[in-house]
Amino acid sequence: LAEFPTGIIADRIGRRASIVIGQVLIAGCLLGQVTSSNYWVFLTLFMGQGVGMACVSGSDTALLYDLLVRRGATAGYVKIKSRFTMLGTVTSGVAIVLGGQLQQLSWGVVYVGSASCLVMAVVVLTSRVPEIRGADAVDEQDGAEKEHGDATAWRAMLRVATPALVTLVVVSGLMHATLTPYIIFTQKTLSDQGAGTALVSVVISAGFFVGGLTPLLSDRANRRIGYRIVIPVSLVTLAVALGLSGLGLVWVTIAAFLVLVGIPEITAVIVDNVFNEAVPSRHRASLLSMIAFVESALIGTGYLVLGVLMDGLGSSAGMATYAAVPLLACLLWLPVLFR
């Protein structure tokens, strides 16, 4: 829910400012969580952490894209975004391992370390990256934007919301609603299929590594295939991975996870570029935040649905049944594919 106001704020006061607010808010909540033993205080701070993440979501992509607009280099967005995604994913994997080691000393060290990294990121951002507001970005576009001076983000959304773009938002959301729960619940599936804790940890870490490297192929896939073809390929890949997990064979589940989990990450980068090209710069952060809200809502629903399926049918059968979600998304995309 915080995606809506934070996106508007980012367009009004600046994308960099919104990121700074989000990072500082998250850092403050982390420090508050480690110093408080009250459950309700922890829960409130956790919700505040979510608001901070919403401040960053949409603003970071809008800032990156409009910086490239300023330099006339938007053609290289997919390549730059793929590297950005790769560095973020690999860094997260390293942070998980490092955090596990530091946790043996104290949870306080983990939380304080995380907060310190966020503050360091703010220092680098404010010293090296210029600010861009929605009004600033309008002047950096060519004449197309000036023809439509949409006063609000809602009017801009109604203008750009073509059937194909709306379908893309829903299909992309369903893809993320499949991929994210699949990665998380694979841990339980492997455990139920007989994998030990150490093996599960190695597999998930390797999955992060694979997911971090595969986005580097996004630029090549975008140039040679295009997003219209890449999207159904990714959806079918997710359905296959879920179906193979349903066989109940631990090594088949591991192989499917490691081989197939990175392919949707390629699609995510390419689709992100399509969204940026479709929305006007003046309201870019607001509209990207609206898209992020749809994806977040579908991801949350996906967690609930897959959890219920795994509880009711068992982890393997639940995974296989959940393959209906990416297949549904694939069917929704077919009219766009052949249009």
Side-chain angles (χ1 to χ4, degrees):
L1 295 177
E3 293 283 358
F4 292 108
T6 55
I8 296 174
I9 291 172
D11 283 330
R12 295 290 178 85
I13 69 173
R15 284 82 190 263
R16 188 185 69 177
S18 180
I19 296 172
V20 170
I21 293 171
Q23 298 284 74
V24 172
L25 181 57
I26 295 172
C29 289
L30 289 173
L31 295 176
Q33 288 168 353
V34 77
T35 56
S36 175
S37 58
N38 185 282
Y39 170 76
W40 295 108
V41 172
F42 186 93
L43 182 61
T44 302
L45 291 172
F46 193 74
M47 295 174 64
Q49 186 176 338
V51 174
M53 295 172 65
C55 289
V56 177
S57 173
S59 301
D60 54 353
T61 300
L63 179 60
L64 173 61
Y65 194 85
D66 282 318
L67 285 172
L68 294 176
V69 170
R70 175 176 289 182
R71 299 180 181 182
T74 52
Y77 175 80
V78 173
K79 182 180 293 185
I80 295 172
K81 177 67 174 180
S82 64
R83 294 173 181 173
F84 171 82
T85 303
M86 181 272 292
L87 290 173
T89 305
V90 173
T91 303
S92 296
V94 173
I96 291 173
V97 176
L98 181 60
Q101 298 300 316
L102 293 176
Q103 189 272 331
Q104 298 178 12
L105 300 176
S106 168
W107 276 111
V109 176
V110 176
Y111 277 73
V112 172
S114 298
S116 301
C117 290
L118 292 171
V119 173
M120 291 173 58
V122 167
V123 173
V124 173
L125 180 67
T126 54
S127 62
R128 302 291 297 176
V129 181
E131 179 64 281
I132 293 184
R133 297 178 299 119
D136 300 330
V138 171
D139 297 331
E140 293 153 14
Q141 291 279 18
D142 50 24
E145 178 115 357
K146 297 180 180 179
E147 298 176 1
H148 304 284
D150 297 305
T152 65
W154 293 105
R155 290 184 180 179
M157 179 189 68
L158 293 175
R159 178 169 61 82
V160 303
T162 62
L165 185 62
V166 172
T167 303
L168 179 59
V169 172
V170 174
V171 169
S172 175
L174 290 174
M175 184 186 74
H176 286 288
T178 305
L179 178 62
T180 307
Y182 168 63
I183 293 175
I184 299 302
F185 283 107
T186 292
Q187 301 176 55
K188 175 174 172 52
T189 303
L190 290 174
S191 297
D192 291 346
Q193 291 177 356
T197 303
L199 178 58
V200 172
S201 300
V202 170
V203 171
I204 299 302
S205 298
F208 268 98
F209 183 75
V210 172
L213 292 180
T214 49
L216 295 177
L217 301 174
S218 299
D219 184 56
R220 181 176 299 179
N222 188 42
R223 287 186 284 106
R224 296 189 177 184
I225 303 176
Y227 76 96
R228 291 176 180 268
I229 303 297
V230 171
I231 287 174
V233 170
S234 296
L235 293 170
V236 172
T237 296
L238 282 172
V240 171
L242 288 164
L244 292 175
S245 299
L247 296 177
L249 304 174
V250 63
W251 290 108
V252 173
T253 301
I254 291 173
F257 179 77
L258 294 179
V259 172
L260 304 176
V261 72
I263 295 178
E265 299 289 354
I266 298 173
T267 306
V269 175
I270 297 174
V271 169
D272 190 59
N273 181 56
V274 176
F275 287 149
N276 275 288
E277 291 178 341
V279 300
S281 290
R282 183 181 183 88
H283 304 291
R284 189 183 307 282
S286 301
L287 297 181
L288 292 179
S289 293
M290 293 178 187
I291 294 171
F293 167 75
V294 174
E295 292 180 350
S296 298
L298 290 173
I299 289 172
T301 303
Y303 274 118
L304 294 175
V305 171
L306 183 54
V308 170
L309 289 174
M310 292 176 69
D311 284 340
L313 304 176
S315 57
S316 298
M319 280 281 198
T321 305
Y322 197 65
V325 174
L327 292 178
L328 172 62
C330 197
L331 290 175
L332 292 175
W333 187 247
L334 287 180
V336 179
L337 178 64
F338 294 111
R339 184 174 300 162

